């Protein structure tokens, strides 16, 4: 119960601190010229936070790699748009379902929070309720 919440909070803080330290060290290595340029360009895309957004990544063929860091020609843009469109449309139902599930879970959490505020938790001295930390982000 209460102890597992403290442990989860502690582990979350340790993970955040560790990730922050890794980012800092990566920046140091990058400034010293010890990180290959391709990794320096791609890593920020991989480690960006993905809260609230959906990122679709196109299938990149081996023949695409030499052209990825060039200014695209109109033909390259047309091909990329067509491939991206063909890849994205099949995912729309999946994205819609994920959004419906997320909205349903949020409504359930909101109901639990509202219910816990009406009836204070017996093991809570502050009267904040068992689900006080689960409110909207």
């Amino acid at each position: 119960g209460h102890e597992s919440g403290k442990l989860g909070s502690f582990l979350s803080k340790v993970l955040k601190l560790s990730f922050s330290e890794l980012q800092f060290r990566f920046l140091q290595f990058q400034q010293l010229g010890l990180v290959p340029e391709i990794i320096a360009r791609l890593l920020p895309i991989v480690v960006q936070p993905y809260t609230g957004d959906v990122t679709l990544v196109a299938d990149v063929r081996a023949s695409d790699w030499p052209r990825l860091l060039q200014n695209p020609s109109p033909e390259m843009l047309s091909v990329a748009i067509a491939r991206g469109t063909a890849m994205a449309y099949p995912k729309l139902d999946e994205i819609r379902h994920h959004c419906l599930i997320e909205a349903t879970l949020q409504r359930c959490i909101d109901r639990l929070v509202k219910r816990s505020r009406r009836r204070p938790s017996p093991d809570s001295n502050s009267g904040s309720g068992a689900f006080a930390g689960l409110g909207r982000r």
Side-chain angles (χ1 to χ4, degrees):
H2 189 59
E3 291 300 316
S4 66
K6 282 185 178 180
L7 179 62
S9 176
F10 174 75
L11 289 176
S12 175
K13 289 177 183 175
V14 168
L15 284 173
K16 285 180 184 177
L17 177 65
S18 299
F19 186 71
S20 178
E21 183 66 20
L22 283 172
Q23 284 181 315
F24 176 69
R25 296 299 174 198
F26 173 78
L27 241 135
Q28 284 182 324
F29 287 145
Q30 186 179 11
Q31 289 171 346
L32 293 171
L34 301 173
V35 178
E37 185 177 340
I38 189 73
I39 293 175
R41 288 179 183 239
L42 292 178
L43 193 63
I45 295 169
V46 175
V47 298
Q48 71 178 331
Y50 289 100
T51 56
D53 297 322
V54 175
T55 303
L56 298 174
V57 179
D59 183 31
V60 179
R61 300 176 183 143
S63 61
D64 296 331
W65 283 102
R67 296 180 290 182
L68 281 177
L69 301 177
Q70 297 176 0
N71 285 333
S73 67
E75 180 187 323
M76 281 175 62
L77 281 176
S78 295
V79 169
I81 290 170
R83 284 172 53 193
T85 301
M87 188 210 61
Y89 279 117
K91 300 285 186 188
L92 291 180
D93 278 340
E94 183 180 340
I95 292 167
R96 186 171 60 82
H97 290 129
H98 282 258
C99 289
L100 288 170
I101 291 168
E102 181 181 350
T104 301
L105 289 172
Q106 187 62 55
R107 281 195 305 275
C108 292
I109 290 171
D110 291 344
R111 286 180 188 160
L112 288 171
V113 169
K114 188 175 182 181
R115 196 176 297 167
S116 74
R117 288 184 180 146
R118 279 188 274 161
R119 286 182 279 144
S121 175
D123 52 82
S124 173
N125 295 332
S126 65
S128 60
F131 300 101
L134 296 177
R136 288 200 180 274
R137 297 174 281 276

